[in-house]
Amino acid sequence: MKRYLAILLLLAACAKPAQEHLSDYVSTLVGTQSDWSFSTGNTYPAIAVPWGMNFWTPVTAEREEDGWAYQYDKHRITGFKQTHQPSPWINDYGAFSIMPFTGDEDSGSFFSHKSEEARPYYYKVYLADYDITVEITPTERAAVMRVTFPENENARIKINPFNGGEVRTDGEWTRGYSVQNHGGVQEGFRNYFVIKADVPLQERFATTRGQVATLYIASSFISDEQALRNLAEVLDRPFDDVRDAAQVSWDEVLGRVRVSGGTLEQIRTFYSCLYRSTLFPRKFYEIGADGQPVHYSPYSGKVEPGYLYTDTGFWDTFRALFPLLNLIYPDINAEIQSGLANVARENAFLPEWASPGHRDCMIGNNSASVVADAAVQGITSHEDLEVLYKALVHGTENVHPDVSSSGRKGYEYYNSLGYIPYDVDVKENVARTLEYAYDDWCIAQIARILKRPQDEIDLYLSRSGNWRNVFDPAVRLMRGRNADGGFQEPFSSYKWGDAFTEGNAWHYTWSVFHDVPGLIREMGGEEMFTQMLDSVFKVPPIYDDSAYGYRIHEISEMQTANMGNYAHGNQPSQHMLYLYGWTSEAWKGQMHIRETMDRLYSADPDGYCGDEDNGQTSAWYIFSALGFYPVCPASGKYIIGTPLFPKAEITLPGGKTLVIKASCPGPVFKTVTLNGKSLRNNSVEISHLKEGGTLRFR
Ligand code: CA
């Protein structure tokens, strides 16, 4: 009997996971088993609080400038870095690192994942070669490091301010700064750091076995004085208290969505994805002496009032990450939008890839989508929206003089011809045309909200139809178009890059987020549209990489997924499966969506199928697991998919609750009701969902 009771208790424990610490379902190592040639996420184990200004990461790289700071397959830890890196392709800025060691020289130490604990709020690792244990726990702008030593005559904690930086020690206080940057800041940029430690940093000292050193670390992009102010977040607090508070902040953020009934693996994957969705864009503002937000502006080079968030590429994150913030964390997006309005006050352009200021990376003018989606959801103040609208309009007629990703490269062609020709000196011309057309639709939505003159609204609405100019009805695909109106010759639908961006015609043809019915018509009707969608999976994963001259990693990730030419590992494909929702064969989309969730995501170190990209690829999973997806941000609608869990509960702003229930495992669901009412057209109004109640899948 006793044995049965024990088994029953065990079963009860399995069925009902300890809900109070959702953060303990998260693995921060997901996506770290990557390199430049093949990405399973290209992430690093960010030790941080949600949206924190500074993250920390263990470093396995041998060079301080290596964008792949931490790789799961490496065997040596070479340091612990305060990082602001959004992506290895963008690299870091303002970083500095700390490394404790024993003996004459620090050449890094062997470590094992078996002696590593990687949580969002806490990291611990055993440095075998030095017999040292390092623990780190974060706050928004500070951190505490605890180092446990062996008995040794010759211990040291080395601070590396990176190339061009400085460090000076005075008793228990160490101050310094890092000037590391890869563009994106003005002259004079510094990340000032301050460390208070109970051992002499930089110098040799003797330790007894089990001796613990505690380092209180903070930094500021504003000043030395502000760094000291930021240090108050941790100074002289017990390590465990800081760790517990960091865990509470994660439990609160993750706890806005509670899923149940899935497997442990699914729950771990879900919360690991939600963790990745709530890191970027990160806070770049600080709290000044008067208690008000203040920031160093990478746009003006000055210290400016108010909020600022950074480290995100809108080309990636406009799709699902920002819509997720709007649904679950609108208070954070309100600060982000206020920060974007500050950017518009500090310089003429909104960023497209910010890290921390304008960076030359990717294409499009998708800041329009990020601003419009928040505006449609009523998140942005009227005053800020006026400023943002002006900057967006400016961006439609200009390109940043130094950073061609900001504004619109090729706008002269686009505004006069209605597309960017294939045979002019602007590359990725079809991709740009498609994204500008969608962005114009977004600008029209803002113009409506601001009650701009009708001819102004009409101008952007009419430009939003420009996607038609690069659609070739003969092949039913998007295709480069010359200035004389003829289509590109020769044409291969498998050719990556060239007229497109990190994709081919099979991927980009679906980038008409705002007018799917129009795309269906141009393709020749629903039957042909469905056939073309099916074809993406039926064509083999062949490719033409001649535009790059080598096989870019996104191509390898498409090939290895074994889903034909469907490339979930990169952003242009990520809304595509939901387009089946406009046809009478939505079940096909549900099958593919479920397969993508089941097979291409996990909570393992290779748990993504391409670059994670600052929350975007994770936010796809979060929405998909909940059963809907924002195909067209700023439309006020989600498209229905296939929920993964029997039950999910979202705590909405204002204390309302949305319960999502699936009465069978799926993946195919035939009937979806919201509060008893059947949904039409496989879509649901976000405003209705936000009222709370029950979304039921049968
Ligand atoms: Ca990508």
Side-chain angles (χ1 to χ4, degrees):
M1 188 65 203
K2 241 183 184 169
R3 208 171 75 188
Y4 287 122
L5 190 65
I7 289 168
L8 276 176
L9 285 172
L10 189 70
L11 282 174
C14 290
K16 201 168 176 245
Q19 291 270 310
E20 61 269 26
H21 289 311
L22 294 175
S23 53
D24 286 338
Y25 290 116
V26 174
S27 168
T28 62
L29 300 178
V30 182
T32 61
Q33 200 165 24
S34 300
D35 61 47
W36 74 273
S37 71
F38 193 77
S39 171
T40 69
N42 266 333
T43 56
Y44 56 87
I47 310 154
V49 294
W51 305 289
M53 186 175 89
N54 304 315
F55 301 170
W56 284 80
T57 181
V59 178
T60 59
E62 279 164 25
R63 294 179 307 111
E64 66 186 31
E65 293 295 321
D66 191 339
W68 280 262
Y70 179 98
Q71 290 173 294
Y72 191 82
D73 290 335
K74 293 275 179 75
H75 301 302
R76 303 182 86 82
I77 297 262
T78 58
F80 301 88
K81 175 167 86 157
Q82 191 206 69
T83 177
H84 313 97
Q85 177 172 300
S87 149
W89 311 106
I90 291 288
N91 214 308
D92 214 339
Y93 63 90
F96 62 94
S97 72
I98 300 176
M99 182 66 176
F101 61 101
T102 53
D104 293 334
E105 213 185 334
D106 163 38
S107 50
S109 167
F110 256 70
F111 80 109
S112 162
H113 297 298
K114 297 179 183 66
S115 306
E116 181 187 43
E117 197 177 333
R119 303 190 184 279
Y121 59 90
Y122 173 68
Y123 180 83
K124 178 184 183 179
V125 70
Y126 175 65
L127 302 177
D129 292 344
Y130 305 135
D131 193 13
I132 285 174
T133 296
V134 173
E135 297 164 277
I136 302 173
T137 189
T139 62
E140 285 193 339
R141 298 172 190 85
V144 191
M145 180 183 278
R146 185 160 69 183
V147 185
T148 306
F149 288 96
E151 184 173 340
N152 198 285
E153 289 300 306
N154 207 11
R156 195 180 164 200
I157 300 177
K158 194 176 68 178
I159 314 296
N160 176 5
F162 281 30
N163 193 20
E166 271 191 32
V167 57
R168 57 197 186 280
T169 292
D170 182 11
E172 62 185 359
W173 291 93
T174 297
R175 289 166 193 263
Y177 59 83
S178 166
V179 296
Q180 185 206 26
N181 89 83
H182 291 85
V185 291
Q186 307 273 330
E187 282 292 309
F189 164 81
R190 284 180 179 183
N191 182 28
Y192 301 88
F193 59 81
V194 55
I195 306 169
K196 187 192 176 209
D198 51 10
V199 294
L201 300 182
Q202 303 289 59
E203 293 167 23
R204 302 275 172 188
F205 54 94
T207 54
T208 55
R209 180 156 187 80
Q211 182 178 331
V212 171
T214 305
L215 282 69
Y216 296 97
I217 312 152
S219 65
S220 165
F221 298 113
I222 295 171
S223 67
D224 204 47
E225 189 190 359
Q226 181 65 36
L228 198 59
R229 201 169 286 127
N230 294 343
L231 190 67
E233 290 181 2
V234 291
L235 192 61
D236 298 332
R237 287 173 64 196
F239 183 95
D240 292 358
D241 286 7
V242 177
R243 182 187 59 195
D244 291 349
Q247 182 169 28
V248 166
S249 71
W250 276 112
D251 287 341
E252 198 278 317
V253 163
L254 301 173
R256 305 270 186 104
V257 191
R258 292 182 178 272
V259 294
S260 51
T263 64
L264 182 58
E265 172 68 14
Q266 287 169 333
I267 294 171
R268 292 187 65 223
T269 304
F270 184 88
Y271 286 108
S272 296
C273 280
L274 194 52
Y275 152 78
R276 289 275 164 209
S277 303
T278 49
L279 287 170
F280 297 103
R282 81 170 83 244
K283 290 175 184 177
F284 199 72
Y285 69 87
E286 303 171 46
I287 304 298
D290 59 356
Q292 295 302 309
V294 59
H295 62 273
Y296 161 80
S297 169
Y299 302 96
S300 69
K302 293 185 204 139
V303 176
E304 306 267 11
Y307 293 112
L308 187 67
Y309 281 64
T310 191
D311 293 323
T312 186
F314 291 156
W315 182 83
D316 301 283
T317 53
F318 85 83
R319 300 161 199 266
L321 188 273
F322 275 93
L324 185 72
L325 295 179
N326 284 335
L327 178 66
I328 306 176
Y329 311 102
D331 46 337
I332 292 297
N333 203 17
E335 290 190 0
I336 295 171
Q337 298 299 323
S338 166
L340 278 174
N342 289 332
V343 173
R345 292 179 185 106
E346 292 158 15
N347 90 125
F349 290 89
L350 292 179
E352 297 302 327
W353 229 118
S355 180
H358 294 290
R359 295 293 295 274
D360 216 345
C361 188
M362 308 313 290
I363 60 137
N365 186 215
N366 301 308
S367 53
S369 178
V370 169
V371 171
D373 195 21
V376 166
Q377 307 273 337
I379 283 166
T380 317
S381 76
H382 186 88
E383 188 193 341
D384 281 349
L385 195 57
E386 294 271 10
V387 173
L388 288 162
Y389 180 75
K390 221 176 120 192
L392 285 170
V393 168
H394 176 79
T396 66
E397 292 161 357
N398 291 278
V399 61
H400 193 287
D402 307 316
V403 185
S404 71
S405 293
S406 299
R408 290 188 181 187
K409 193 173 182 179
Y411 70 90
E412 306 94 328
Y413 297 112
Y414 177 86
N415 290 349
S416 59
L417 289 172
Y419 62 101
I420 303 173
Y422 179 73
D423 55 348
V424 298
D425 60 349
V426 183
K427 293 218 183 311
E428 303 163 282
N429 30 68
V430 174
R432 287 180 203 276
T433 300
L434 292 171
E435 291 181 23
Y436 294 170
Y438 163 65
D439 299 331
D440 281 333
W441 180 85
C442 289
I443 291 173
Q445 308 314 304
I446 306 168
R448 274 184 181 141
I449 292 169
L450 291 175
K451 299 191 169 63
R452 302 293 306 175
Q454 192 59 42
D455 59 342
E456 202 171 303
I457 298 171
D458 289 345
L459 171 71
Y460 293 107
L461 280 181
S462 115
R463 286 181 182 171
S464 78
N466 282 342
W467 59 269
R468 286 189 173 82
N469 298 331
V470 287
F471 181 81
D472 179 5
V475 291
R476 299 191 179 91
L477 291 168
M478 300 296 172
R479 176 172 178 176
R481 190 164 198 182
N482 295 328
D484 68 4
F487 281 102
Q488 150 200 9
E489 285 289 355
F491 170 69
S492 164
S493 60
Y494 300 106
K495 188 173 187 183
W496 284 61
D498 193 25
F500 302 101
T501 300
E502 293 179 358
N504 62 29
W506 285 111
H507 306 142
Y508 259 96
T509 293
W510 316 104
S511 292
V512 189
F513 313 95
H514 55 297
D515 191 9
V516 180
L519 182 62
I520 292 173
R521 277 195 300 277
E522 294 290 332
M523 271 195 188
E526 190 194 308
E527 201 177 323
M528 188 51 71
F529 179 81
T530 310
Q531 250 183 56
M532 289 299 283
L533 275 175
D534 293 347
S535 299
V536 174
F537 298 89
K538 284 182 183 155
V539 299
I542 52 177
Y543 63 90
D544 172 351
D545 65 0
S546 59
Y548 298 106
Y550 68 102
R551 185 168 63 170
I552 61 170
H553 71 93
E554 287 88 351
I555 295 177
S556 307
E557 291 140 20
M558 175 194 79
Q559 284 182 294
T560 53
N562 193 17
M563 291 176 91
N565 241 268
Y566 180 62
H568 191 78
N570 207 19
Q571 282 64 36
S573 294
Q574 289 179 349
H575 67 293
M576 199 200 95
L577 301 178
Y578 285 90
L579 300 188
Y580 281 105
W582 271 266
T583 75
S584 55
E585 298 185 281
W587 63 271
K588 282 185 181 168
Q590 292 177 332
M591 301 284 285
H592 290 307
I593 292 161
R594 184 64 71 85
E595 182 187 356
T596 302
M597 279 192 274
D598 283 348
R599 213 156 55 68
L600 303 190
Y601 287 81
S602 78
D604 297 327
D606 67 345
Y608 296 103
C609 60
D611 287 353
E612 195 285 320
D613 284 330
N614 305 106
Q616 167 56 29
T617 301
S618 294
W620 184 93
Y621 186 90
I622 299 300
F623 271 120
S624 294
L626 294 175
F628 45 83
Y629 188 83
V631 167
C632 182
S635 69
K637 275 192 184 120
Y638 295 133
I639 306 306
I640 292 300
T642 174
L644 190 60
F645 297 97
K647 189 180 170 197
E649 219 175 307
I650 305 176
T651 303
L652 296 162
K656 289 175 183 151
T657 304
L658 176 68
V659 180
I660 299 154
K661 282 188 172 168
S663 62
C664 73
V668 175
F669 295 92
K670 294 210 165 117
T671 316
V672 188
T673 56
L674 178 61
N675 297 326
K677 275 194 193 156
S678 284
L679 297 180
R680 297 175 55 202
N681 303 324
N682 295 312
S683 69
V684 60
E685 300 279 337
I686 299 173
S687 57
H688 295 171
L689 274 189
K690 281 187 165 175
E691 290 299 311
T694 304
L695 184 69
R696 194 181 292 272
F697 290 73
R698 284 192 186 86

